[in-house]
């Protein structure tokens, strides 16, 4: 797709959701620029003119003229627009909708619970053990649900890699870095852990891990 | 669509997400049966054979054979499969993807924050003021984002009602019942409140409000 202009991703060096989108861009071999938004002014113009929710990611695609936010919607857009060979998406029924099911589970289940656990362990103004316990429990409940679904399976939908699998990896890899004290508990879910390692070994995902590590190392200098 | 068999919705009398799906079914004039799942056994078989996440809603559509969970994915499925006249969805670009953007915002923004506010005000084992404040702030942040988007607009995407608008109403109406002490704050967002009342006045939505009220009255007997 050499004739395409680069898609701009307004993201961040340490936020999971922009890297989730970048993984999809890498899988599809699309050109892009990943710009790191200044979090201090993310709720202000000019950024809120692009994304009134004041969060990352937002994309601008000069090939179609769209500006779009919400990582789940961005993934649906990228796949529908550019995955013409169906490398990471299905057109068959019901697989097509089961991929959406898992994407929405990632968006409404994994992301929020992992995010709230991060909030209460790292950012909340006071230490609230009962809230930390709640979100740790919910985080591993989500992991347990996926572990059970992945019994005797390589991928979430059918026997084919899809954007649904990839959509879980950015948050999971962030969790394994940030909540390093919980690594044994994550790894204890055997089907889940094998699946995670399977997706994490993909060249596109490994490349994004490296890009993120480089960006985070640079920003901490 | 008289020749269609009823779609089964596994839901609940007082949960927002199943009623969100029922609103879409009513808008599309589709036949359905809304079954109330026993919450006490929702994490057990046989329900987890339908939905391993142990949450509502799940649908079973005998017309296509699909079983599907996650309300956002169910809405995408219903619209793609049955909204052939595009009553509540667009095929034009970029509206089609902006509808998905707002659906994902409902799924990952509105639902989780409203839900956590409900948790900490009603169900958490201890009263944690800092957590209650956090989620109240986030709930009204989401409302404020929508209020700003809705300035001089009737609907979220273009000048057309869509499933994106409707998707926010079940949680919002639940919030206005359950957090009745906050009603003035909700109503203070003028664009948002006018939009809410606009959608809430639709015959399909009014019908679902009545169905919910009847179901909740019956279950409390």
């Amino acid at each position: 797709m050499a004739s395409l202009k680069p898609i701009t991703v307004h993201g961040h060096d340490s936020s999971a959701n922009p890297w989730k989108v970048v993984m999809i861009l890498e899988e599809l071999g699309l050109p892009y620029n990943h710009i790191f938004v200044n979090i201090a002014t993310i709720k202000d113009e000019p950024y809120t003119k692009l994304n009134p929710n004041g969060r990352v990611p937002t994309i601008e695609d000069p090939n179609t003229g769209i500006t779009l936010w919400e990582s789940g919607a961005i993934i649906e857009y990228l796949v529908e627009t550019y995955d013409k060979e169906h490398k990471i998406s299905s057109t068959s029924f019901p697989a097509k909708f089961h991929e959406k099911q898992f994407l929405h589970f990632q968006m409404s289940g994994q992301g929020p619970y992992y995010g709230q656990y991060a909030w209460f362990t790292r950012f909340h103004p006071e230490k609230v053990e009962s809230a930390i316990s709640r979100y740790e429990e919910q985080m591993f409940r989500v992991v347990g649900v996926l572990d059970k679904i992945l019994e005797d399976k390589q991928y979430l939908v059918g026997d084919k890699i899809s954007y649904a699998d990839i959509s879980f990896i950015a948050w999971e890899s962030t969790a394994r870095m940030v909540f390093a004290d919980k690594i044994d508990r994550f790894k204890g879910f055997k089907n889940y852990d094998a699946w995670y390692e399977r997706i994490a070994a993909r060249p596109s995902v490994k490349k994004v891990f490296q890009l993120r590590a480089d960006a985070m190392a640079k920003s901490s200098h």
Side-chain angles (χ1 to χ4, degrees), chain A residues 3 5-6 21 33 57 74 96-97 132 139 141 154 196 217:
Chain A
S3 62
K5 293 176 206 150
V21 166
N33 292 318
I74 293 170
K96 177 183 173 178
F97 292 107
I132 292 171
M139 181 167 71
R141 188 189 68 76
Q154 302 281 298
Y196 171 75

Side-chain angles (χ1 to χ4, degrees), chain A residues 116-163:
Chain A
Q116 299 319 297
Y117 182 68
W119 175 267
F120 281 102
T121 50
R122 294 166 61 89
F123 304 112
H124 198 65
E126 60 174 342
K127 196 164 178 76
V128 183
E129 288 296 350
S130 65
I132 292 171
S133 296
R134 163 174 172 71
Y135 290 110
E136 181 174 343
E137 188 186 309
Q138 286 299 320
M139 181 167 71
F140 286 111
R141 188 189 68 76
V142 167
V143 170
V145 167
L146 290 167
D147 188 66
K148 193 150 187 198
I149 289 166
L150 288 160
E151 206 172 300
D152 301 320
K153 281 170 67 87
Q154 302 281 298
Y155 302 111
L156 290 171
V157 181
D159 52 6
K160 182 181 184 301
I161 179 83
S162 77
Y163 66 85

Side-chain angles (χ1 to χ4, degrees), chain A residues 79-97:
Chain A
V79 164
E80 281 194 40
T81 308
Y82 295 114
D83 190 19
K84 299 298 186 196
E85 293 168 20
H86 302 294
K87 189 181 172 197
I88 54 169
S89 61
S90 297
T91 49
S92 64
F93 184 90
K96 177 183 173 178
F97 292 107

Side-chain angles (χ1 to χ4, degrees), chain A residues 15-212:
Chain A
S15 290
N17 285 329
W19 292 114
K20 180 170 71 174
V21 166
V22 171
M23 286 177 190
I24 300 297
L25 289 162
E26 287 285 348
E27 275 287 337
L28 295 176
L30 295 168
Y32 65 92
N33 292 318
H34 187 181
I35 294 172
F36 300 150
V37 176
N38 183 350
I39 300 297
T41 55
I42 199 169
K43 302 278 188 233
D44 307 322
E45 292 190 8
Y47 185 71
T48 53
K49 291 215 167 196
L50 291 174
N51 180 344
N53 191 33
R55 294 271 176 103
V56 284
T58 305
I59 65 160
E60 293 179 280
D61 184 348
N63 303 290
T64 64
I66 202 169
T67 299
L68 193 67
W69 41 280
E70 283 296 332
S71 56
I74 293 170
I75 289 173
E76 291 200 61
Y77 164 73
L78 291 173
V79 164
E80 281 194 40
T81 308
Y82 295 114
D83 190 19
K84 299 298 186 196
E85 293 168 20
H86 302 294
K87 189 181 172 197
I88 54 169
S89 61
S90 297
T91 49
S92 64
F93 184 90
K96 177 183 173 178
F97 292 107
H98 287 148
E99 289 168 357
K100 291 187 198 291
Q101 168 188 289
F102 285 111
L103 179 64
H104 279 282
F105 183 42
Q106 191 285 314
M107 290 293 288
S108 67
Q110 189 207 36
Y113 286 130
Y114 280 50
Q116 299 319 297
Y117 182 68
W119 175 267
F120 281 102
T121 50
R122 294 166 61 89
F123 304 112
H124 198 65
E126 60 174 342
K127 196 164 178 76
V128 183
E129 288 296 350
S130 65
I132 292 171
S133 296
R134 163 174 172 71
Y135 290 110
E136 181 174 343
E137 188 186 309
Q138 286 299 320
M139 181 167 71
F140 286 111
R141 188 189 68 76
V142 167
V143 170
V145 167
L146 290 167
D147 188 66
K148 193 150 187 198
I149 289 166
L150 288 160
E151 206 172 300
D152 301 320
K153 281 170 67 87
Q154 302 281 298
Y155 302 111
L156 290 171
V157 181
D159 52 6
K160 182 181 184 301
I161 179 83
S162 77
Y163 66 85
D165 301 289
I166 298 165
S167 74
F168 284 92
I169 303 308
W171 268 104
E172 181 62 24
S173 59
T174 299
R176 287 176 182 220
M177 283 192 297
V178 175
F179 319 136
D181 58 318
K182 303 293 172 195
I183 192 74
D184 289 344
R185 195 161 173 202
F186 282 113
K187 288 188 161 296
F189 292 88
K190 295 299 178 193
N191 308 314
Y192 180 82
D193 188 57
W195 167 78
Y196 171 75
E197 295 293 354
R198 189 175 303 125
I199 317 295
R202 295 177 72 80
S204 63
V205 176
K206 282 169 74 174
K207 180 175 172 187
V208 176
F209 285 171
Q210 191 59 53
L211 289 171
R212 180 175 61 181

